[in-house]
Amino acid sequence: MQIYNDVSQMLVSGQRNRIVIIDDDPDTAELFSEGLEMVGYKTIAFDDPEEAIDYISLNHSEIALTTVDWWMPLIDGFRIIRLISDLDSKIRFLLISGYDLTQEQLKANNNVSYLKKPIKISELIESVKKELIQSQ
């Protein structure tokens, strides 16, 4: 068993070494991506959910975690999570929203972890780290 000093090291050495960021606001998607890359995570950001789903369909075996904005045009975050989970149950999720979500909504969607906007980058990094540790 190998011990890692940082979760980002674990991702680099493993097969699932990428975090996908999905947010319809391109500035938010880029900010989250850059913040996670600053601490060593390998990310890719999408402001178009359909493009993100296409990418994940082709590359799902490389993806450890996906952050998903809840409220987006055409498709909501819960629907994206269901689609991706049906494709690959090993991918972890972090749902992000500027809206308040109820425990019932989260429970109905596999108790997905949730962060409420506005989010500090340090909170995002800690939540990602926690999700990745739980996946081990």
Side-chain angles (χ1 to χ4, degrees), residues 43-115:
T43 69
I44 185 165
F46 293 92
D47 57 19
D48 180 331
E50 290 180 2
E51 283 181 26
I53 292 167
D54 289 344
Y55 174 84
I56 292 167
S57 298
L58 296 173
N59 301 284
H60 63 91
S61 64
E62 300 174 2
I63 300 166
L65 180 131
T66 301
T67 71
V68 183
D69 186 22
W70 175 63
W71 188 258
M72 292 183 283
L74 305 177
I75 187 168
D76 68 65
F78 288 135
R79 177 79 178 126
I80 292 171
I81 289 169
R82 284 192 295 278
L83 288 169
I84 295 169
S85 292
D86 288 346
L87 176 69
D88 189 333
S89 63
K90 293 182 181 177
I91 297 174
R92 302 289 294 193
F93 297 96
L94 185 57
L95 187 67
I96 299 174
S97 179
Y99 298 91
D100 288 320
L101 300 176
T102 66
Q103 286 301 319
E104 289 77 28
Q105 287 174 301
L106 298 172
K107 194 177 281 188
N109 288 278
N110 297 324
N111 288 318
V112 66
S113 295
Y114 160 67
L115 283 176

Side-chain angles (χ1 to χ4, degrees), residues 1 4-11 19 41 64-65 92 125-136:
M1 178 173 168
Y4 297 92
N5 294 330
D6 187 72
V7 175
S8 60
Q9 258 187 313
M10 180 177 62
L11 285 182
I19 296 172
Y41 293 114
L65 180 131
R92 302 289 294 193
I125 292 167
E126 271 308 304
S127 294
V128 164
K129 184 176 180 178
K130 180 180 171 187
E131 281 301 311
L132 294 173
I133 288 171
Q134 288 178 354
S135 71
Q136 296 303 304

Side-chain angles (χ1 to χ4, degrees), residues 15-29:
Q15 182 179 358
R16 292 183 180 267
N17 63 0
R18 186 171 299 274
I19 296 172
V20 175
I21 314 292
I22 307 172
D23 195 303
D24 61 313
D25 176 17
D27 293 334
T28 300

